[in-house]
Structures are given as C-alpha cells and as structure tokens.
C-alpha cells in the first residue's frame, strides 16, 4: 500500500546527492509530500510538490502508476536514473491504452549548477537599473498575489502557497508593471530552508523587452541579502539562456515525462 511517509528521514538516503531544491523542500517538511510503500527499510519513494514528482530508489512501476492515475497529480514525472526512465516509458504506453483523457510525452529540461557565490552583484544591479519607464518594479504584494489566482499566465508565481499570509512568511517575489498592468514577474515557485526555486513569467505582449531579466536580477539580489539561494531549473533553451545571462552555469540535461490532458 502506498502512503505518505511522515518521517521523511526514512526516504532521505534514496534521494541522496540529487541536487533538486523541490526534493529538499519535501524532505525538510517545508512544502510537498513524500510517498512510499509500507516496507522497512524503504526501497522506493516519490517526492511530490506542485507540478513535479521525483522518483528515487529501486524503480517501482506501481509507484509510477499511482501518480499517473491521480487526476490532479503531478504533470512532470522525473526519473532518478535509466531504470526509472524505462519503467516510466512502459507505464506511459500502458496508461494511454486505458485512459483516453491524457497522454504522456518524454521531453528534456535543463539543470543549472548550484553555485551560491557565482553572481556578480554589480551586474545584477545594472540589470535592475536598466529597467526604464513606463515600467516599474515592485514587490509581489497582496494585490499582485490575488491577481495570480485569476490569471493563468502568472499563476505559478504563487500556486504553491495557500494564501497571501503563507506567501509573505515563506515566499518572495517581484513584479513589473506597465502603468496599472502587470507585465512580468519573478517569484518563488517553492521554498526550502535555505532558499527558493525561481518561477519567471512574462505576459505574451511584453516578451523580448528585457523585463524577465530585470525582474529575475532583483529577486536574486534580494535572496542574496537574506542569505538564500535562488535556484533555477530551465524548462526550455530560452529559459536556459536567460539563466546563463544572469550568471548561472549549465549543469546537465535530464528527461521528464509530461502529462498532457485531452480536452
């Protein structure tokens, strides 16, 4: 039987060495949930937080199937190694024969190195100063928080926080306005003890104007002032290029299996 692992120390050895802050969030009981079977010692586990589910330990198809069958489950399944990846491919094929409401597709994401001292404060400050009128950068306040709940293009700035009080306690974000119109933002998708996982979005009509660059720079500077690390994981090459422009360094490509719902 698959159940929540309340004592996350049981699962920690399975995820050891995996440089992923969302896993750390789960293991630290800050955000997210660890699942596994009723066994001792624990041989397999999954860490679920937001759109992501990370699988570790011995490849277990039942554990994969459990997540795939969740209608509101994670949309991105991340294998720890080739054995998990093969199991996911097999389960994806099987799932598509039994469930006509969704499909699963393998794609690539891009991991960035965790290097707390890599950033140039001067360069980041110049990026922020480079933002010119009519654009204004402001902290993500309650008004902006409520906006994200009814506007899908920026929902992930705050989607993992129950309310503004929790976001104010654990999260951090900056947004850019064009007059009264929200145009772009950089925020904490998730939080772990020593930092955040960055989420950046720009409204379509404001893209390619340098807004994401300025906003991300502001967020990284504030994280540094608090002693936090601003982690970045790129979902495509455009995101990777922006990260590298800010000072991050590419680490590796890795596969994920993405859920796509059929309307």
């Amino acid at each position: 039987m698959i159940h929540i692992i309340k004592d996350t120390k049981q699962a920690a050895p399975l995820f050891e060495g995996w440089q992923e802050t969302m896993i750390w969030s789960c293991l630290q009981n800050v955000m997210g949930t660890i699942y596994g079977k009723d066994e001792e010692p624990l041989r397999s586990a999954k860490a679920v937080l937001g759109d992501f589910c990370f699988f570790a330990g011995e490849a277990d198809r039942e554990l994969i199937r459990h997540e795939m069958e969740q209608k509101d489950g994670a949309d991105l399944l991340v294998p720890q190694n080739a054995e998990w990846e093969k199991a996911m491919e097999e389960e994806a094929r099987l799932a598509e024969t039994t469930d006509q409401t969704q499909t699963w597709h393998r794609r690539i994401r891009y991991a960035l190195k965790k290097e707390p001292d890599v950033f140039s404060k001067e360069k980041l400050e110049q990026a922020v100063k480079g933002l010119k009128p009519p654009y204004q950068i402001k902290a993500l306040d309650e008004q902006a928080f409520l906006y994200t709940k009814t506007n899908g293009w920026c929902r992930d700035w705050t989607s993992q926080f129950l309310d503004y009080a929790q976001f104010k306690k654990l999260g951090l974000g900056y947004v850019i306005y064009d007059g009264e119109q929200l145009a772009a933002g950089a925020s904490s998708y998730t939080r772990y003890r020593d930092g955040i996982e960055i989420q950046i979005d720009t409204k379509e009509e404001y893209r390619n104007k340098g807004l994401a660059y300025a906003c991300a720079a502001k967020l990284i500077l504030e994280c540094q002032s608090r002693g936090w690390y601003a982690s970045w994981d790129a979902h495509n090459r455009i995101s990777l290029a922006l990260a590298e422009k800010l000072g991050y360094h590419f680490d590796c490509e890795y596969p994920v299996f993405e859920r796509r719902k059929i309307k």
Side-chain angles (χ1 to χ4, degrees):
M1 180 179 178
I2 297 170
H3 63 100
I4 294 174
I5 306 298
K6 294 182 179 179
D7 181 5
T8 59
K9 291 180 181 178
Q10 295 180 48
L14 302 177
F15 294 96
E16 188 173 0
W18 200 341
Q19 296 293 298
E20 175 51 64
T21 69
M22 284 181 278
I23 294 174
W24 301 344
S25 296
C26 294
L27 292 174
Q28 294 169 0
N29 290 309
V30 177
M31 307 178 84
T33 309
I34 303 286
Y35 292 87
K37 290 183 175 179
D38 189 12
E39 58 188 7
E40 193 174 334
L42 197 63
R43 295 193 296 271
S44 307
K46 61 176 180 174
V48 185
L49 179 50
D51 294 327
F52 293 81
C53 181
F54 303 87
F55 293 84
E58 297 178 9
D60 188 314
R61 289 180 60 171
E62 184 181 354
L63 206 61
I64 296 168
R65 195 177 311 125
H66 180 266
E67 191 63 32
M68 285 185 169
E69 291 175 350
Q70 304 298 315
K71 297 303 180 184
D72 294 320
D75 289 334
L76 293 169
L77 309 188
V78 189
Q80 186 181 49
N81 51 39
E83 287 73 25
W84 276 107
E85 184 179 354
K86 181 180 178 181
M88 285 182 191
E89 288 175 342
E90 293 170 351
E91 282 300 317
R93 286 196 295 268
L94 179 62
E96 290 183 1
T97 65
T98 58
D99 186 349
Q100 306 302 312
T101 67
Q102 59 189 15
T103 59
W104 292 90
H105 300 266
R106 182 187 184 278
R107 67 180 184 85
I108 295 296
R109 289 180 65 94
Y110 306 90
L112 283 301
K113 293 180 180 179
K114 304 290 189 291
E115 301 172 302
D117 300 323
V118 75
F119 303 106
S120 164
K121 183 178 180 181
E122 181 181 0
K123 181 178 178 180
L124 295 176
E125 289 174 342
Q126 287 299 319
V128 177
K129 291 177 182 177
L131 188 68
K132 304 300 182 184
Y135 302 113
Q136 287 186 306
I137 191 165
K138 298 181 180 180
L140 198 163
D141 59 10
E142 187 169 11
Q143 179 182 345
F145 182 93
L146 295 174
Y147 178 92
T148 67
K149 300 305 180 184
T150 56
N151 291 270
W153 71 271
C154 58
R155 64 176 293 275
D156 281 334
W157 294 347
T158 64
S159 60
Q160 303 313 309
F161 297 88
L162 296 174
D163 51 32
Y164 180 66
Q166 186 189 38
F167 178 82
K168 189 175 181 180
K169 179 181 178 181
L170 296 176
L172 179 66
Y174 286 91
V175 293
I176 291 177
Y177 284 92
D178 175 11
E180 298 296 319
Q181 175 69 48
L182 258 176
S187 184
S188 47
Y189 179 66
T190 52
R191 171 71 195 278
Y192 67 107
R193 286 177 189 165
D194 300 318
I196 65 170
E197 188 70 32
I198 290 182
Q199 175 68 34
I200 296 179
D201 296 285
T202 303
K203 202 170 185 180
E204 188 171 2
E205 58 264 39
Y206 289 101
R207 292 173 185 170
N208 301 313
K209 298 179 183 293
L211 303 188
Y213 179 55
C215 218
K218 179 67 174 177
L219 180 59
I220 295 167
L221 284 167
E222 181 58 27
C223 282
Q224 288 187 314
S225 74
R226 299 185 182 202
W228 295 359
Y229 181 69
S231 175
W232 190 302
D233 189 89
H235 70 282
N236 58 29
R237 290 190 177 277
I238 295 174
S239 176
L240 174 61
L242 177 58
E244 291 178 326
K245 185 177 179 180
L246 288 157
Y248 293 90
H249 293 125
F250 173 72
D251 186 6
C252 63
E253 296 181 357
Y254 67 94
V256 299
F257 286 81
E258 182 178 39
R259 184 198 309 259
R260 298 181 188 175
K261 296 180 180 178
I262 301 173
K263 296 182 181 179

